[in-house]
Amino acid sequence: MTVAACGSVRSIKALWETRIKRREEEQSRRSLRGGAMVRLSLGVWEDRAALARLKDKLQMEDGCLILRIEHEEWKSLPSCLIQLREVQEWQIHRAGLQKIPPFISSFQSLLVLDLSRNGISEIPKQIVLFSGKLTRLRELMLNYNRIQFVPVELSYCESLEKLELAMNRVLSCLPDQFRNLNRLQHLDLSMNDFTCLPDSVVGLPALEWLDMGGNRLQHLPEDIHRLVLLSEPCTHPQLASQQHRCVLRMGKLHTFWLQRNELQKLPENISRMSGLDTLVLSSNRLKDIPPLMEDMSQLRFVNFRDNPLTLDVTLPSRKMEANMDEEDQEDDREMYGREFMKLYIREARTRAYTVLDMHRTSR
């Protein structure tokens, strides 16, 4: 009887221990499910709060929907932003943004992407991948960031007209395919680490405005202005798939900023850049001015200040009249630069003739 009673007690004890263990496991599972639900609810509310905050940053200007964020901390952009894919322009400055989100490719209506003065270190391939959705992007500004290289994929942004990559410090090269940006008119590569003018930049067919100031350029291409043969797709069904045309390299360029570089001379071919009307060459290491530049009658503004030019040429001092408005004063300064260039070239020619006459006389 004693043995049977002990067996029954052990059985009952084991049964209750099993039931207690099952109940504890069930409570643990319920606790986990509850925690997950709490976290899920918290995530939903955080997304809703972030989306509401982003909606407050939307502005409508000239029929264009703009997302404008300035002087606020946004190290990353929340995925809920994708719900505002109708936005046509991003203006996000001084926000501490560290990267361009991969879902940028979903903004098919995006025309302008301005993320200047942040901490972005790379241009994502998604900007043109995933079926090339950003085909309407016209302006990309990434000034004052940490961009180290430009991906080949950027060359497929077929509508890009304006690109600014100033003050990224270590940027020093561009892919060869960069020349395929056939609509690019405005390019700012100032305050970087370029030691030569990339051939892919010289080959941009539509380029009108170029800033290479504040780099380490030591020379310009000798063939900076020559005819090249371009191949283009042909849309006519009865013609070959490619058609060709001759264009002048940098033939449309009208403004060229080259200040604060290490240029020691200019190529003679620069005088053939017939569309050039603004040329800034201050703070370089130029020792002479090419004589053929005297014929650049279209050149409206030129600046050779702070260069170790061989000849000491000084224009007569000119006082600006007190009643001159700002436009007249600017015209006067522009005239000063042109007059200095022409006077320098004439003086160099005169001295060359004098040396030649002295040489002939001594013979």
Side-chain angles (χ1 to χ4, degrees):
M1 290 294 294
T2 302
V3 173
C6 289
S8 298
V9 170
R10 283 196 297 268
S11 298
I12 293 171
K13 182 180 179 181
L15 178 61
W16 276 104
E17 287 178 348
T18 301
R19 289 180 177 178
I20 291 171
K21 185 177 181 180
R22 287 177 179 174
R23 175 166 292 189
E24 289 176 348
E25 290 176 350
E26 180 64 24
Q27 288 177 346
S28 177
R29 284 195 294 268
R30 289 179 179 177
S31 177
L32 289 174
R33 286 197 298 267
M37 290 299 294
V38 169
R39 288 192 296 272
L40 180 60
S41 299
L42 182 60
V44 170
W45 281 107
E46 287 178 347
D47 282 349
R48 289 179 179 177
L51 185 60
R53 187 179 170 195
L54 288 169
K55 286 182 178 179
D56 287 340
K57 308 298 180 183
L58 295 179
Q59 300 177 9
M60 183 68 73
E61 295 181 7
D62 298 325
C64 182
L65 186 60
I66 301 173
L67 174 65
R68 180 170 283 120
I69 301 174
E70 295 186 10
H71 300 282
E72 292 186 15
E73 191 70 20
W74 291 81
K75 290 186 177 181
S76 62
L77 294 173
S79 58
C80 62
L81 178 58
I82 202 171
Q83 298 182 43
L84 304 178
R85 57 170 59 92
E86 70 276 9
V87 171
Q88 297 169 286
E89 185 171 335
W90 288 17
Q91 295 278 355
I92 304 177
H93 307 149
R94 301 181 187 275
L97 190 65
Q98 296 182 351
K99 65 179 181 178
I100 303 175
F103 56 77
I104 185 71
S105 58
S106 299
F107 287 75
Q108 300 180 35
S109 300
L110 197 62
L111 302 176
V112 177
L113 181 58
D114 187 353
L115 304 177
S116 299
R117 298 183 182 275
N118 283 287
I120 299 168
S121 60
E122 65 176 341
I123 302 174
K125 296 180 180 180
Q126 288 91 338
I127 204 166
V128 289
L129 293 182
F130 302 112
S131 303
K133 292 183 178 179
L134 293 185
T135 55
R136 299 182 62 190
L137 186 65
R138 293 202 303 257
E139 299 182 11
L140 175 61
M141 281 80 82
L142 294 169
N143 302 315
Y144 292 85
N145 277 283
R146 301 172 184 172
I147 305 297
Q148 300 182 24
F149 70 95
V150 174
V152 172
E153 288 77 13
L154 185 64
S155 306
Y156 306 138
C157 286
E158 57 190 36
S159 298
L160 201 61
E161 298 175 358
K162 181 177 182 178
L163 175 62
E164 294 188 351
L165 295 168
M167 198 64 178
N168 278 280
R169 296 294 189 182
V170 297
L171 186 63
S172 61
C173 62
L174 296 173
D176 290 338
Q177 295 87 343
F178 192 79
R179 69 181 75 240
N180 296 332
L181 293 171
N182 293 326
R183 298 184 183 180
L184 192 64
Q185 301 173 13
H186 176 112
L187 178 60
D188 190 348
L189 296 173
S190 61
M191 294 179 286
N192 284 297
D193 201 35
F194 289 90
T195 58
C196 63
L197 183 60
D199 196 59
S200 56
V201 171
V202 179
L204 291 168
L207 193 61
E208 299 179 359
W209 192 99
L210 174 61
D211 192 346
M212 293 295 300
N215 280 277
R216 296 191 297 122
L217 300 183
Q218 299 175 3
H219 61 85
L220 297 178
E222 291 294 334
D223 60 347
I224 193 171
H225 192 68
R226 65 178 173 84
L227 283 172
V228 292
L229 189 65
L230 288 185
S231 296
E232 298 178 327
C234 181
T235 57
H236 197 288
Q238 297 181 354
L239 297 179
S241 59
Q242 295 285 328
Q243 60 182 358
H244 306 281
R245 63 185 177 98
C246 287
V247 298
L248 284 170
R249 288 172 25 128
M250 307 193 89
K252 293 186 177 181
L253 193 69
H254 60 69
T255 301
F256 200 0
W257 297 82
L258 288 163
Q259 72 284 358
R260 297 192 305 280
N261 276 285
E262 300 174 10
L263 297 173
Q264 297 185 24
K265 70 172 186 175
L266 298 175
E268 293 286 346
N269 251 352
I270 198 170
S271 63
R272 299 180 60 189
M273 299 178 72
S274 58
L276 201 61
D277 72 358
T278 299
L279 178 60
V280 182
L281 292 157
S282 55
S283 301
N284 275 277
R285 300 178 182 177
L286 297 173
K287 296 181 180 180
D288 283 302
I289 300 175
L292 292 178
M293 288 187 68
E294 185 179 24
D295 299 326
M296 298 178 71
S297 57
Q298 79 288 349
L299 197 59
R300 182 178 59 87
F301 178 86
V302 61
N303 190 338
F304 285 96
R305 293 182 184 276
D306 300 319
N307 278 282
L309 295 171
T310 303
L311 302 181
D312 186 12
V313 174
T314 305
L315 283 174
S317 60
R318 298 169 56 175
K319 292 184 179 180
M320 295 185 181
E321 298 179 10
N323 60 349
M324 292 177 68
D325 58 24
E326 290 185 6
E327 185 175 351
D328 290 336
Q329 291 181 14
E330 182 65 23
D331 290 342
D332 193 75
R333 284 191 289 268
E334 292 170 1
M335 183 65 71
Y336 183 91
R338 293 198 304 269
E339 288 183 358
F340 173 83
M341 180 184 73
K342 292 180 179 180
L343 178 60
Y344 186 96
I345 293 173
R346 288 197 298 268
E347 182 66 20
R349 185 181 296 118
T350 300
R351 296 192 185 191
Y353 287 154
T354 300
V355 171
L356 181 60
D357 289 341
M358 291 176 59
H359 180 69
R360 288 175 178 173
T361 301
S362 64
R363 292 178 62 185

